Amino acid sequence: MFTTILFYVLAFVLLYAAFRVVSAYSPVTAVLHLILAFFSAAMIWMTLGAEFLSLLLIVVYVGAVMVMFLFVIMLLDVRDHPMSEKLKPYLPMGIVVGLIMVAEMAFVLSRAWVDAGAKALTPENYNNTRVIGEMMYTDYIFAVQLGGVILLVGMVAAIALTLRRRPGVKRTNSSAQVKVRAEDRLRIVSMEPQVEAKPVRPEANSGEQA
């Protein structure tokens, strides 16, 4: 069947991309293959009927998180190396990854015109998004909470690893700002008004000399 062949092709691309993520020497190459792995997994979900998860994976991870990672990696040491020199070595790899993603999307969307087998039986008014939400917060609530804890630990670890104690850095003291009084910041000073001197007319000066 067409769906079976397509599944094995997408699975092979997914496994190869995942292997290159952990084995690539360059971080840019690893991120490009990670984008390909996420996109291949999204296409597999699309063929299985999980359209919401597929689009969510593409929009959130491929379209936002991974692209942000790629831009951050490419912008490292931008002062030492021009951006054109950093893009040229990875341009062929990016073109190949993009073509593979376009081909996968074309094959998945072609299931609408090719005999892809019988569809899964679903009841009327079936809402894929609602079913996923109910399963996440009922049957798989422990897995969702565990994933949230893992993400929190990763975020705290990243902050702890990148935190540096640098002298001379100005920091905001919120407690001192709350305790400040108007008398400490504002001082009213009484000053004598300044009056502009009247100009002396030339006729008066000449009369005094005579």
Side-chain angles (χ1 to χ4, degrees):
M1 295 174 60
F2 178 77
T3 306
T4 305
I5 298 174
L6 182 60
F7 171 79
Y8 282 111
V9 171
L10 294 175
F12 174 78
V13 175
L14 175 60
L15 292 176
Y16 174 77
F19 174 77
R20 288 294 296 161
V21 169
V22 298
S23 63
Y25 177 77
S26 174
V28 179
T29 304
V31 172
L32 288 174
H33 283 88
L34 186 57
I35 293 174
L36 180 59
F38 281 152
F39 195 85
S40 301
M43 292 299 101
I44 292 177
W45 288 351
M46 184 72 73
T47 57
L48 296 177
E51 294 86 1
F52 175 74
L53 288 178
S54 177
L55 296 176
L56 191 65
L57 185 61
I58 294 175
V59 173
V60 176
Y61 285 93
V62 178
V65 179
M66 289 296 102
V67 174
M68 182 189 67
F69 285 175
L70 184 60
F71 273 103
V72 170
I73 294 175
M74 294 297 293
L75 289 175
L76 292 177
D77 300 330
V78 68
R79 296 181 180 179
D80 300 334
H81 305 282
M83 184 58 66
S84 59
E85 295 182 2
K86 297 173 72 69
L87 287 175
K88 288 181 180 179
Y90 305 104
L91 184 59
M93 177 65 65
I95 294 175
V96 172
V97 171
L99 292 177
I100 294 176
M101 293 169 61
V102 172
E104 290 180 354
M105 187 179 298
F107 282 121
V108 171
L109 295 179
S110 63
R111 293 174 65 248
W113 297 279
V114 180
D115 186 13
K119 295 182 179 180
L121 296 177
T122 56
E124 296 182 358
N125 299 326
Y126 179 77
N127 193 336
N128 192 6
T129 307
R130 180 177 179 178
V131 173
I132 293 174
E134 291 177 352
M135 294 182 65
M136 286 178 59
Y137 292 101
T138 53
D139 298 337
Y140 301 97
I141 183 63
F142 178 74
V144 173
Q145 292 180 349
L146 182 61
V149 172
I150 293 174
L151 292 176
L152 179 61
V153 172
M155 181 180 65
V156 174
I159 295 174
L161 290 174
T162 56
L163 183 62
R164 296 290 183 272
R165 298 295 181 182
R166 289 170 288 186
V169 178
K170 295 182 179 180
R171 293 181 174 86
T172 303
N173 191 347
S174 302
S175 60
Q177 290 180 346
V178 173
K179 296 177 182 178
V180 71
R181 298 179 301 173
E183 295 80 5
D184 300 334
R185 296 296 179 91
L186 179 63
R187 185 177 62 178
I188 301 176
V189 180
S190 179
M191 299 179 62
E192 295 294 334
Q194 297 183 359
V195 181
E196 186 177 358
K198 296 181 179 181
V200 180
R201 294 181 296 179
E203 294 80 5
N205 292 336
S206 60
E208 292 178 358
Q209 293 177 359

